[in-house]
Every structure is written in C-alpha cells, then in structure tokens.
Amino acid sequence: MPGLFRNLAAACAALLLSGCFLSEKPLIGEGVHIHDGPLTFCLDGDEPCHQTTLQEDAYLVLPHPEDGEERPIAVRFRPLMEAGGQTIWLGEANLSEDDEEAAWAYVVARKLKDTDLGVREYEVAVPDCSGANASDLFRYGLEKEGSYSCRVTDIDAFSEYLREHHGADFADNAWWEKAR
C-alpha cells in the first residue's frame, strides 16, 4: 500500500465512526489547475508537505524521499465553492494500483499559504460520510460501503451534498485541523 494511500486511508480511519467518500471510477472528468506555479499539498500537520508536479489535468503528489519506492498519486480538481473568502476545491485522488481494483478517493483542498520561496501550500482534508442518513444517501446518489465509507455515484450530487453538509465546515479552521 503506497504511503500517500496510507495517509489518505489513515485519515479516513482516524475519523472516529466516520468514513471516506470513494468511487470505482473517475467522476470529475477533466481537472483544472488550481494554481499557476509550484505548489505543495499538506496532508498531515505533523509531516512536511508533499511536492507536486503537473501532469496534463492532474497533479502528481510526490512521495517524500524517505518513503522509498512509493508511487506518486494523481489528483484532479474542480472548484466546489467559496468559504471563508477562499476557493474550496474538490479533489479526486486515483488510488488504483495495477494489480488491484480501481479506487478513487475524494478530498477537499484550500490554500494554506504562500511560502517565501514562491511555493503555494494547500491543505488537504478528507470529509466524512458518517453524518449521511438514508435520505441523504438516496438524495445525493451515495451508497454506504461498510462502516467507514460511502460510494459516490454522481459527482454533481456529491458536490451539492458537500456544499449543504460541510459548507460551514470549510470556513472553519478547527474543522480543517481535525479533518487533515
């Protein structure tokens, strides 16, 4: 299991009685560039941010040198909403491996800061689906997958779910700290 995948999976597992949003196929389609210039993604407040490189419409999130032979993870983005004066981005991370089932995980990102070296840092968080009741699941095209995840079947309906159920969270720094 790649380290970045472990980070995303660990973030899912770390949310007590909550879960991640996943899909078996990519739903975002063509991604957009969220910044014109170098950027990093900060997944965990206790670890250094991950450098990225742009590959077509996706960002390759690079493993740290000490992570050994772990592979980069491609993430596509699309704008989700404005919150707290910032654009919140919906990201779709390709967690698929050659010899395993296809898997995509959904994250949100927002600008954290610009460094002195001209690199923009984005913090990445994992919204959870534990609050989705049966009505929400039906209304937003979500399907419960075991105890810890929900399957996304419609990206536009899922985006609406995030805006309605997490919109206030996205403007709350404490939520970002907890969800990272």
Side-chain angles (χ1 to χ4, degrees):
M1 180 184 301
L4 296 175
F5 177 79
R6 269 197 304 270
N7 284 348
L8 285 172
C12 289
L15 298 169
L16 184 60
L17 300 175
S18 63
C20 298
F21 292 97
L22 305 166
S23 70
E24 297 172 341
K25 61 182 180 179
L27 299 173
I28 283 185
E30 189 171 339
V32 299
H33 297 179
I34 63 176
H35 175 64
D36 291 329
L39 59 91
T40 61
F41 291 122
C42 306
L43 303 171
D44 183 343
D46 296 331
E47 292 185 15
C49 299
H50 289 268
Q51 293 182 350
T52 66
T53 184
L54 196 57
Q55 184 180 54
E56 297 174 11
D57 68 336
Y59 290 91
L60 289 181
V61 183
L62 305 173
H64 295 298
E66 63 272 11
D67 291 339
E69 296 182 25
E70 296 179 13
R71 67 176 180 82
I73 291 185
V75 183
R76 286 190 179 104
F77 287 95
R78 75 185 235 174
L80 179 64
M81 65 182 290
E82 294 290 320
Q86 295 190 59
T87 301
I88 305 301
W89 300 93
L90 174 59
E92 177 179 71
N94 184 351
L95 304 180
S96 305
E97 294 211 28
D98 295 335
D99 58 343
E100 294 182 16
E101 290 184 31
W104 282 263
Y106 294 91
V107 298
V108 290
R110 72 174 183 171
K111 176 185 167 187
L112 186 59
K113 66 181 179 179
D114 289 320
T115 69
D116 292 340
L117 300 173
V119 176
R120 179 161 291 172
E121 291 182 356
Y122 283 83
E123 62 184 327
V124 177
V126 181
D128 72 74
C129 71
S130 64
N133 59 39
S135 175
D136 289 337
L137 294 172
F138 179 77
R139 178 177 176 199
Y140 298 105
L142 302 169
E143 300 172 2
K144 203 69 155 156
E145 290 281 316
S147 301
Y148 296 103
S149 65
C150 291
R151 182 184 312 182
V152 177
T153 61
D154 179 317
I155 197 68
D156 293 323
F158 174 55
S159 295
E160 184 62 28
Y161 171 84
L162 290 175
R163 285 189 287 271
E164 284 196 28
H165 291 274
H166 290 285
D169 295 335
F170 298 150
D172 181 6
N173 291 333
W175 180 86
W176 285 89
E177 272 298 314
K178 181 179 160 189
R180 266 179 61 182

PDB file of all heavy atoms in Angstrom, residues 159-180:
ATOM      1  N   SER A 159     -21.201  16.911  -4.949  1.00  0.00           N
ATOM      2  CA  SER A 159     -20.771  18.296  -4.721  1.00  0.00           C
ATOM      3  C   SER A 159     -21.837  19.067  -3.954  1.00  0.00           C
ATOM      4  O   SER A 159     -21.526  19.833  -3.032  1.00  0.00           O
ATOM      5  CB  SER A 159     -20.470  18.989  -6.051  1.00  0.00           C
ATOM      6  OG  SER A 159     -19.373  18.376  -6.686  1.00  0.00           O
ATOM      7  N   GLU A 160     -23.087  18.868  -4.318  1.00  0.00           N
ATOM      8  CA  GLU A 160     -24.188  19.527  -3.613  1.00  0.00           C
ATOM      9  C   GLU A 160     -24.255  19.048  -2.160  1.00  0.00           C
ATOM     10  O   GLU A 160     -24.468  19.848  -1.250  1.00  0.00           O
ATOM     11  CB  GLU A 160     -25.511  19.268  -4.333  1.00  0.00           C
ATOM     12  CG  GLU A 160     -26.681  20.000  -3.727  1.00  0.00           C
ATOM     13  CD  GLU A 160     -26.533  21.518  -3.766  1.00  0.00           C
ATOM     14  OE1 GLU A 160     -25.854  22.057  -4.658  1.00  0.00           O
ATOM     15  OE2 GLU A 160     -27.099  22.175  -2.873  1.00  0.00           O
ATOM     16  N   TYR A 161     -24.058  17.760  -1.938  1.00  0.00           N
ATOM     17  CA  TYR A 161     -24.030  17.210  -0.579  1.00  0.00           C
ATOM     18  C   TYR A 161     -22.946  17.928   0.243  1.00  0.00           C
ATOM     19  O   TYR A 161     -23.188  18.352   1.372  1.00  0.00           O
ATOM     20  CB  TYR A 161     -23.763  15.704  -0.598  1.00  0.00           C
ATOM     21  CG  TYR A 161     -23.502  15.137   0.773  1.00  0.00           C
ATOM     22  CD1 TYR A 161     -24.564  14.783   1.602  1.00  0.00           C
ATOM     23  CD2 TYR A 161     -22.213  15.000   1.262  1.00  0.00           C
ATOM     24  CE1 TYR A 161     -24.328  14.295   2.883  1.00  0.00           C
ATOM     25  CE2 TYR A 161     -21.971  14.517   2.530  1.00  0.00           C
ATOM     26  CZ  TYR A 161     -23.035  14.165   3.343  1.00  0.00           C
ATOM     27  OH  TYR A 161     -22.794  13.698   4.613  1.00  0.00           O
ATOM     28  N   LEU A 162     -21.749  18.045  -0.328  1.00  0.00           N
ATOM     29  CA  LEU A 162     -20.650  18.691   0.398  1.00  0.00           C
ATOM     30  C   LEU A 162     -20.978  20.147   0.714  1.00  0.00           C
ATOM     31  O   LEU A 162     -20.711  20.615   1.822  1.00  0.00           O
ATOM     32  CB  LEU A 162     -19.354  18.599  -0.400  1.00  0.00           C
ATOM     33  CG  LEU A 162     -18.723  17.215  -0.508  1.00  0.00           C
ATOM     34  CD1 LEU A 162     -17.516  17.253  -1.429  1.00  0.00           C
ATOM     35  CD2 LEU A 162     -18.337  16.678   0.864  1.00  0.00           C
ATOM     36  N   ARG A 163     -21.551  20.870  -0.242  1.00  0.00           N
ATOM     37  CA  ARG A 163     -21.904  22.271  -0.004  1.00  0.00           C
ATOM     38  C   ARG A 163     -22.944  22.388   1.103  1.00  0.00           C
ATOM     39  O   ARG A 163     -22.840  23.250   1.976  1.00  0.00           O
ATOM     40  CB  ARG A 163     -22.411  22.928  -1.291  1.00  0.00           C
ATOM     41  CG  ARG A 163     -21.296  23.233  -2.281  1.00  0.00           C
ATOM     42  CD  ARG A 163     -21.779  24.061  -3.447  1.00  0.00           C
ATOM     43  NE  ARG A 163     -22.589  23.303  -4.374  1.00  0.00           N
ATOM     44  CZ  ARG A 163     -22.127  22.624  -5.418  1.00  0.00           C
ATOM     45  NH1 ARG A 163     -20.840  22.612  -5.669  1.00  0.00           N
ATOM     46  NH2 ARG A 163     -22.950  21.985  -6.214  1.00  0.00           N
ATOM     47  N   GLU A 164     -23.947  21.519   1.085  1.00  0.00           N
ATOM     48  CA  GLU A 164     -25.016  21.595   2.088  1.00  0.00           C
ATOM     49  C   GLU A 164     -24.586  21.091   3.460  1.00  0.00           C
ATOM     50  O   GLU A 164     -24.961  21.659   4.474  1.00  0.00           O
ATOM     51  CB  GLU A 164     -26.243  20.818   1.603  1.00  0.00           C
ATOM     52  CG  GLU A 164     -27.019  21.566   0.554  1.00  0.00           C
ATOM     53  CD  GLU A 164     -28.409  20.995   0.348  1.00  0.00           C
ATOM     54  OE1 GLU A 164     -28.988  20.414   1.295  1.00  0.00           O
ATOM     55  OE2 GLU A 164     -28.916  21.150  -0.767  1.00  0.00           O
ATOM     56  N   HIS A 165     -23.825  20.009   3.505  1.00  0.00           N
ATOM     57  CA  HIS A 165     -23.500  19.378   4.787  1.00  0.00           C
ATOM     58  C   HIS A 165     -22.152  19.786   5.366  1.00  0.00           C
ATOM     59  O   HIS A 165     -21.914  19.565   6.560  1.00  0.00           O
ATOM     60  CB  HIS A 165     -23.574  17.849   4.657  1.00  0.00           C
ATOM     61  CG  HIS A 165     -24.972  17.367   4.474  1.00  0.00           C
ATOM     62  ND1 HIS A 165     -25.809  17.112   5.526  1.00  0.00           N
ATOM     63  CD2 HIS A 165     -25.694  17.156   3.347  1.00  0.00           C
ATOM     64  CE1 HIS A 165     -26.988  16.734   5.063  1.00  0.00           C
ATOM     65  NE2 HIS A 165     -26.942  16.754   3.740  1.00  0.00           N
ATOM     66  N   HIS A 166     -21.276  20.334   4.546  1.00  0.00           N
ATOM     67  CA  HIS A 166     -19.955  20.726   5.040  1.00  0.00           C
ATOM     68  C   HIS A 166     -19.600  22.167   4.700  1.00  0.00           C
ATOM     69  O   HIS A 166     -18.495  22.612   5.001  1.00  0.00           O
ATOM     70  CB  HIS A 166     -18.868  19.797   4.488  1.00  0.00           C
ATOM     71  CG  HIS A 166     -18.913  18.416   5.041  1.00  0.00           C
ATOM     72  ND1 HIS A 166     -18.481  18.106   6.307  1.00  0.00           N
ATOM     73  CD2 HIS A 166     -19.360  17.247   4.501  1.00  0.00           C
ATOM     74  CE1 HIS A 166     -18.640  16.809   6.522  1.00  0.00           C
ATOM     75  NE2 HIS A 166     -19.167  16.271   5.445  1.00  0.00           N
ATOM     76  N   GLY A 167     -20.495  22.898   4.074  1.00  0.00           N
ATOM     77  CA  GLY A 167     -20.205  24.274   3.657  1.00  0.00           C
ATOM     78  C   GLY A 167     -19.686  25.136   4.790  1.00  0.00           C
ATOM     79  O   GLY A 167     -18.692  25.854   4.639  1.00  0.00           O
ATOM     80  N   ALA A 168     -20.330  25.077   5.948  1.00  0.00           N
ATOM     81  CA  ALA A 168     -19.872  25.865   7.101  1.00  0.00           C
ATOM     82  C   ALA A 168     -18.525  25.347   7.614  1.00  0.00           C
ATOM     83  O   ALA A 168     -17.674  26.138   8.044  1.00  0.00           O
ATOM     84  CB  ALA A 168     -20.917  25.831   8.214  1.00  0.00           C
ATOM     85  N   ASP A 169     -18.312  24.034   7.540  1.00  0.00           N
ATOM     86  CA  ASP A 169     -17.035  23.457   7.970  1.00  0.00           C
ATOM     87  C   ASP A 169     -15.869  24.022   7.174  1.00  0.00           C
ATOM     88  O   ASP A 169     -14.787  24.260   7.718  1.00  0.00           O
ATOM     89  CB  ASP A 169     -17.038  21.932   7.797  1.00  0.00           C
ATOM     90  CG  ASP A 169     -18.035  21.230   8.698  1.00  0.00           C
ATOM     91  OD1 ASP A 169     -18.380  21.784   9.761  1.00  0.00           O
ATOM     92  OD2 ASP A 169     -18.469  20.122   8.323  1.00  0.00           O
ATOM     93  N   PHE A 170     -16.073  24.221   5.883  1.00  0.00           N
ATOM     94  CA  PHE A 170     -14.990  24.653   5.010  1.00  0.00           C
ATOM     95  C   PHE A 170     -14.477  26.047   5.357  1.00  0.00           C
ATOM     96  O   PHE A 170     -13.377  26.417   4.955  1.00  0.00           O
ATOM     97  CB  PHE A 170     -15.414  24.592   3.548  1.00  0.00           C
ATOM     98  CG  PHE A 170     -15.759  23.191   3.075  1.00  0.00           C
ATOM     99  CD1 PHE A 170     -16.699  23.005   2.075  1.00  0.00           C
ATOM    100  CD2 PHE A 170     -15.159  22.071   3.613  1.00  0.00           C
ATOM    101  CE1 PHE A 170     -17.024  21.735   1.628  1.00  0.00           C
ATOM    102  CE2 PHE A 170     -15.486  20.790   3.182  1.00  0.00           C
ATOM    103  CZ  PHE A 170     -16.415  20.626   2.173  1.00  0.00           C
ATOM    104  N   ALA A 171     -15.241  26.820   6.103  1.00  0.00           N
ATOM    105  CA  ALA A 171     -14.805  28.150   6.549  1.00  0.00           C
ATOM    106  C   ALA A 171     -14.245  28.118   7.970  1.00  0.00           C
ATOM    107  O   ALA A 171     -13.859  29.149   8.505  1.00  0.00           O
ATOM    108  CB  ALA A 171     -15.979  29.126   6.477  1.00  0.00           C
ATOM    109  N   ASP A 172     -14.171  26.934   8.576  1.00  0.00           N
ATOM    110  CA  ASP A 172     -13.778  26.765   9.970  1.00  0.00           C
ATOM    111  C   ASP A 172     -12.381  26.136  10.069  1.00  0.00           C
ATOM    112  O   ASP A 172     -12.201  24.967   9.721  1.00  0.00           O
ATOM    113  CB  ASP A 172     -14.816  25.878  10.668  1.00  0.00           C
ATOM    114  CG  ASP A 172     -14.527  25.642  12.129  1.00  0.00           C
ATOM    115  OD1 ASP A 172     -13.586  26.239  12.686  1.00  0.00           O
ATOM    116  OD2 ASP A 172     -15.262  24.822  12.724  1.00  0.00           O
ATOM    117  N   ASN A 173     -11.409  26.907  10.552  1.00  0.00           N
ATOM    118  CA  ASN A 173     -10.043  26.397  10.669  1.00  0.00           C
ATOM    119  C   ASN A 173      -9.953  25.164  11.554  1.00  0.00           C
ATOM    120  O   ASN A 173      -9.150  24.268  11.296  1.00  0.00           O
ATOM    121  CB  ASN A 173      -9.110  27.486  11.193  1.00  0.00           C
ATOM    122  CG  ASN A 173      -8.903  28.592  10.190  1.00  0.00           C
ATOM    123  OD1 ASN A 173      -9.002  28.389   8.982  1.00  0.00           O
ATOM    124  ND2 ASN A 173      -8.615  29.782  10.681  1.00  0.00           N
ATOM    125  N   ALA A 174     -10.763  25.101  12.610  1.00  0.00           N
ATOM    126  CA  ALA A 174     -10.744  23.934  13.505  1.00  0.00           C
ATOM    127  C   ALA A 174     -11.167  22.673  12.756  1.00  0.00           C
ATOM    128  O   ALA A 174     -10.619  21.592  13.001  1.00  0.00           O
ATOM    129  CB  ALA A 174     -11.644  24.178  14.713  1.00  0.00           C
ATOM    130  N   TRP A 175     -12.137  22.794  11.860  1.00  0.00           N
ATOM    131  CA  TRP A 175     -12.563  21.627  11.073  1.00  0.00           C
ATOM    132  C   TRP A 175     -11.401  21.134  10.222  1.00  0.00           C
ATOM    133  O   TRP A 175     -11.145  19.927  10.149  1.00  0.00           O
ATOM    134  CB  TRP A 175     -13.759  21.958  10.178  1.00  0.00           C
ATOM    135  CG  TRP A 175     -14.198  20.767   9.376  1.00  0.00           C
ATOM    136  CD1 TRP A 175     -15.048  19.797   9.772  1.00  0.00           C
ATOM    137  CD2 TRP A 175     -13.753  20.405   8.058  1.00  0.00           C
ATOM    138  NE1 TRP A 175     -15.178  18.847   8.787  1.00  0.00           N
ATOM    139  CE2 TRP A 175     -14.381  19.193   7.715  1.00  0.00           C
ATOM    140  CE3 TRP A 175     -12.890  20.984   7.136  1.00  0.00           C
ATOM    141  CZ2 TRP A 175     -14.180  18.553   6.500  1.00  0.00           C
ATOM    142  CZ3 TRP A 175     -12.679  20.341   5.918  1.00  0.00           C
ATOM    143  CH2 TRP A 175     -13.326  19.143   5.614  1.00  0.00           C
ATOM    144  N   TRP A 176     -10.683  22.053   9.580  1.00  0.00           N
ATOM    145  CA  TRP A 176      -9.556  21.650   8.737  1.00  0.00           C
ATOM    146  C   TRP A 176      -8.485  20.945   9.558  1.00  0.00           C
ATOM    147  O   TRP A 176      -7.910  19.948   9.110  1.00  0.00           O
ATOM    148  CB  TRP A 176      -8.973  22.861   8.003  1.00  0.00           C
ATOM    149  CG  TRP A 176      -9.845  23.292   6.859  1.00  0.00           C
ATOM    150  CD1 TRP A 176     -10.874  24.189   6.913  1.00  0.00           C
ATOM    151  CD2 TRP A 176      -9.795  22.804   5.523  1.00  0.00           C
ATOM    152  NE1 TRP A 176     -11.461  24.286   5.671  1.00  0.00           N
ATOM    153  CE2 TRP A 176     -10.825  23.465   4.809  1.00  0.00           C
ATOM    154  CE3 TRP A 176      -8.984  21.902   4.856  1.00  0.00           C
ATOM    155  CZ2 TRP A 176     -11.057  23.224   3.450  1.00  0.00           C
ATOM    156  CZ3 TRP A 176      -9.215  21.672   3.503  1.00  0.00           C
ATOM    157  CH2 TRP A 176     -10.223  22.333   2.818  1.00  0.00           C
ATOM    158  N   GLU A 177      -8.194  21.446  10.737  1.00  0.00           N
ATOM    159  CA  GLU A 177      -7.205  20.796  11.605  1.00  0.00           C
ATOM    160  C   GLU A 177      -7.619  19.365  11.918  1.00  0.00           C
ATOM    161  O   GLU A 177      -6.806  18.449  11.889  1.00  0.00           O
ATOM    162  CB  GLU A 177      -7.047  21.571  12.918  1.00  0.00           C
ATOM    163  CG  GLU A 177      -6.032  22.672  12.880  1.00  0.00           C
ATOM    164  CD  GLU A 177      -4.623  22.186  12.605  1.00  0.00           C
ATOM    165  OE1 GLU A 177      -4.158  21.206  13.208  1.00  0.00           O
ATOM    166  OE2 GLU A 177      -3.973  22.826  11.756  1.00  0.00           O
ATOM    167  N   LYS A 178      -8.881  19.181  12.225  1.00  0.00           N
ATOM    168  CA  LYS A 178      -9.399  17.858  12.596  1.00  0.00           C
ATOM    169  C   LYS A 178      -9.457  16.923  11.384  1.00  0.00           C
ATOM    170  O   LYS A 178      -9.169  15.730  11.499  1.00  0.00           O
ATOM    171  CB  LYS A 178     -10.795  18.023  13.206  1.00  0.00           C
ATOM    172  CG  LYS A 178     -11.433  16.745  13.647  1.00  0.00           C
ATOM    173  CD  LYS A 178     -12.787  17.030  14.248  1.00  0.00           C
ATOM    174  CE  LYS A 178     -13.637  15.792  14.251  1.00  0.00           C
ATOM    175  NZ  LYS A 178     -15.012  16.061  14.631  1.00  0.00           N
ATOM    176  N   ALA A 179      -9.821  17.445  10.214  1.00  0.00           N
ATOM    177  CA  ALA A 179     -10.033  16.612   9.039  1.00  0.00           C
ATOM    178  C   ALA A 179      -8.753  16.294   8.269  1.00  0.00           C
ATOM    179  O   ALA A 179      -8.762  15.461   7.376  1.00  0.00           O
ATOM    180  CB  ALA A 179     -11.045  17.297   8.102  1.00  0.00           C
ATOM    181  N   ARG A 180      -7.656  16.949   8.603  1.00  0.00           N
ATOM    182  CA  ARG A 180      -6.371  16.687   7.922  1.00  0.00           C
ATOM    183  C   ARG A 180      -5.688  15.466   8.427  1.00  0.00           C
ATOM    184  O   ARG A 180      -5.711  15.007   9.475  1.00  0.00           O
ATOM    185  CB  ARG A 180      -5.425  17.868   8.112  1.00  0.00           C
ATOM    186  CG  ARG A 180      -5.516  18.834   6.973  1.00  0.00           C
ATOM    187  CD  ARG A 180      -4.633  20.017   7.108  1.00  0.00           C
ATOM    188  NE  ARG A 180      -3.222  19.671   7.173  1.00  0.00           N
ATOM    189  CZ  ARG A 180      -2.284  20.576   7.333  1.00  0.00           C
ATOM    190  NH1 ARG A 180      -2.580  21.812   7.440  1.00  0.00           N
ATOM    191  NH2 ARG A 180      -1.015  20.229   7.383  1.00  0.00           N
TER     192      ARG A 180
END
